[in-house]
Amino acid sequence: MTDRLGIGFIGSGFNARFHIQAFTGVRDADVRGVWSPNAKHAGATAALAKQHEVGDARAYRSIGEMVADPAIDAIWLCGPNHARIDNIQEIVAGLRAGGTLKGVACEKPLARNVAEARMAARLAASVGLNTGYLENQLFAPEVTRGRELVWARGAALTGRPYLARAAEEHSGPHMPWFWQGTLQGGGVLNDMMCHSVEVVRHLLTKPGAERSSIRPVRISAHIAALKWTRPVYARRLSAAMGKDVDYRKHPAEDFARATIEYESDDGERLVGEVTTSWSFVGAGLRLSAELLGPEYSMSWNTLDSGLKLFFSREVSGKAGEDLVEKQNAETGMMPVVAEEAAAYGYEAENRHFVRCFIRGEKPMLTFEDGVEVMRILMAAYMSAAKRRTLDFPPRGLESFVPDVARGKWKPR
Ligand SMILES: NC(=O)c1ccc[n+]([C@@H]2O[C@H](COP(=O)([O-])OP(=O)(O)OC[C@H]3O[C@@H](n4cnc5c(N)ncnc54)[C@H](O)[C@@H]3O)[C@@H](O)[C@H]2O)c1
């Protein structure tokens, strides 16, 4: 057994920086490398790792070089969605050329549609890779503890929970590619509903039981363009994100909701309700969830933070993200999420995957789970397009690509 895991990052953007911060709370791992097509950004992210004292990281010239280096034991894959398959192919080529890795952990979503997600899983399996699917919200301390207590107390005495709700909402992503359906794979549904789908599935699943102990049987979904297609906001969006993001011509949904009906192996019907939006303007990012059963309920909301600050109108500082991710204001009564990387689950998530890769164990979430999430997301797009409830899995799911991912979606 290796004592420590040397980590190499693919991608040096917002998400990689969040993970690097999270590694301050992880023992037994060192961030040793970063590759990004922009060498300057890779160097800056490697410097950030040194600054946080999470590893003596350096920038690599290629994915192949990183995989070949014995100092790198595992890859955290944090590139944009449209580069996912290329990135995995390069990792696999590096392994076939003689490199060794104990694991690859990939950010959500695993890919842009079911066919791509299956290809990602097949490629990894072809070289016997131990894989991880990075879904931070399942590791958020309140989700972990709330689930444990609900199941140990309420469910043990009065019956399993029957309804879970989860939402992720903010005012819109930070980079142009997220807004482009053809690159990202969809709009907010593909970008963020993956989180909520996994949160409701996790909450409804008995701790220790297999994923297959609850089975999706029906799904109904709705998508809409609520804010960013309004002319004034479409213009603002193009001004901020560049001419390739034009929601007057090629919009993507900024709101989505789905109801997923599950059947449990003990014959109960369960419901998961998920909502997500890029058109939510509150203090900043809001993650929330509820779990309800016959004699109990739990609720979680990251904006109900223990710390709040008040700044009067005399305090007119610069816009920032120092109080909360995707912050929308700097004055008035503002919630502060003091340790975001821990609060949103990144820290416990990284701890879990590091431990599994070191021990050669299968993580709680693998590429196969990433495929299952993608099947639900694509079924939701199908339901929204057909405007009806669908039995799961619907016909044609394996090759389905939503209109928004083809740049052809027309909001109704
Ligand atoms: N878990 C979460 O809550 C969460 C939050 C944000 C992003 N993400 C996911 O993380 C991934 C990265 O998102 P981000 O916010 O860091 O985006 P970003 O645009 O901020 O950063 C993307 C990074 O990838 C690099 N890149 C560009 N082309 C590439 C290529 N061909 N191969 C590899 N890397 C390339 C860019 O230089 C940049 O460093 C996405 O898949 C996103 O869905 C997850």
Side-chain angles (χ1 to χ4, degrees):
M1 191 170 98
T2 350
D3 294 326
R4 305 188 67 77
L5 196 76
I7 312 254
F9 273 89
I10 293 179
S12 55
F14 175 84
N15 182 258
R17 294 196 296 273
F18 235 102
H19 275 293
I20 282 172
Q21 203 184 324
F23 271 109
T24 56
V26 182
R27 295 166 65 186
D28 308 331
D30 299 304
V31 177
R32 295 191 185 139
V34 182
W35 176 81
S36 164
N38 183 321
K40 223 169 99 189
H41 292 171
T45 304
L48 184 74
K50 287 187 190 172
Q51 189 191 321
H52 281 297
E53 299 183 344
V54 294
D56 191 13
R58 71 174 181 89
Y60 284 79
R61 281 168 306 180
S62 69
I63 294 177
E65 187 193 23
M66 197 156 69
V67 173
D69 189 341
I72 303 293
D73 304 305
I75 302 272
W76 257 232
L77 182 41
C78 306
N81 302 0
H82 52 94
R84 202 70 99 220
I85 296 297
D86 283 355
N87 290 165
I88 296 173
Q89 279 170 334
E90 280 192 58
I91 294 170
V92 168
L95 292 171
R96 292 213 168 105
T100 53
L101 287 177
K102 292 184 185 303
V104 171
C106 178
E107 256 306 333
K108 64 77 199 154
L110 184 58
R112 294 178 294 186
N113 51 57
V114 179
E116 277 191 4
R118 288 211 189 275
M119 186 185 295
R122 258 198 322 272
L123 280 164
S126 73
V127 285
L129 252 182
N130 197 6
T131 61
Y133 173 60
L134 292 169
E135 175 40 75
N136 55 296
Q137 291 183 29
L138 265 50
F139 296 87
E142 283 85 354
V143 172
T144 301
R145 194 71 187 120
R147 175 177 179 254
E148 275 170 10
L149 290 171
V150 158
W151 277 91
R153 284 181 168 271
L157 292 176
T158 65
R160 69 181 304 145
Y162 37 64
L163 175 61
R165 300 191 172 111
E168 172 163 15
E169 299 155 290
H170 61 57
S171 52
H174 58 289
M175 294 295 276
W177 68 266
F178 283 93
W179 297 90
Q180 291 167 264
T182 48
L183 296 180
Q184 193 253 105
V188 71
L189 192 156
N190 197 55
D191 181 35
M192 302 202 322
M193 195 181 271
C194 43
H195 292 297
S196 308
V197 161
E198 272 303 77
V199 170
V200 300
R201 199 245 343 135
H202 186 60
L203 291 175
L204 290 169
T205 302
K206 187 176 179 177
E210 292 291 319
R211 182 184 194 94
S212 58
S213 65
I214 71 166
R215 202 167 53 83
V217 289
R218 267 201 307 202
I219 184 158
S220 91
H222 181 83
I223 63 174
L226 298 181
K227 174 175 177 178
W228 295 103
T229 46
R230 289 189 178 184
V232 62
Y233 286 102
R235 276 197 299 277
R236 275 193 209 173
L237 187 60
S238 292
M241 294 288 155
K243 64 176 175 32
D244 291 337
V245 179
D246 186 345
Y247 272 34
R248 288 157 292 196
K249 291 189 187 136
H250 301 294
E253 78 281 358
D254 58 16
F255 167 85
R257 69 118 206 108
T259 303
I260 309 150
E261 201 174 316
Y262 286 93
E263 193 173 70
S264 70
D265 54 7
D266 49 7
E268 301 278 8
R269 284 283 154 143
L270 317 170
V271 169
E273 272 186 357
V274 291
T275 308
T276 190
S277 122
W278 287 340
S279 43
F280 166 74
V281 177
L285 169 72
R286 179 169 71 181
L287 310 180
S288 58
E290 289 185 0
L291 182 61
L292 296 92
E295 298 291 340
Y296 53 85
S297 63
M298 81 166 237
S299 69
W300 170 58
N301 181 335
T302 53
L303 289 183
D304 291 342
S305 68
L307 177 62
K308 292 189 175 55
L309 297 182
F310 178 80
F311 295 111
S312 85
R313 61 178 73 94
E314 299 301 317
V315 185
S316 51
K318 279 194 301 193
E321 269 189 288
D322 47 344
L323 307 179
V324 61
E325 185 183 334
K326 305 282 189 297
Q327 190 173 313
N328 286 309
E330 282 69 39
T331 55
M333 182 67 86
M334 287 291 291
V336 179
V337 181
E339 294 279 354
E340 288 188 299
Y344 302 151
Y346 286 87
E347 199 176 286
E349 168 185 68
N350 286 349
R351 221 176 278 136
H352 172 76
F353 288 102
V354 163
R355 194 178 302 138
C356 289
F357 289 162
I358 288 178
R359 294 179 180 168
E361 292 168 2
K362 183 176 159 185
M364 181 169 103
L365 296 168
T366 69
F367 280 15
E368 293 302 333
D369 299 295
V371 172
E372 286 311 307
V373 176
M374 190 50 63
R375 292 176 80 225
I376 289 183
L377 299 185
M378 290 303 125
Y381 271 119
M382 286 177 96
S383 163
K386 291 178 192 284
R387 300 174 122 187
R388 61 182 172 84
T389 302
L390 303 177
D391 287 338
F392 188 89
R395 277 178 63 175
L397 182 64
E398 293 295 312
S399 56
F400 180 76
V401 176
D403 281 350
V404 65
R406 300 177 196 271
K408 290 188 173 155
W409 183 58
K410 300 255 181 291
R412 284 182 285 201

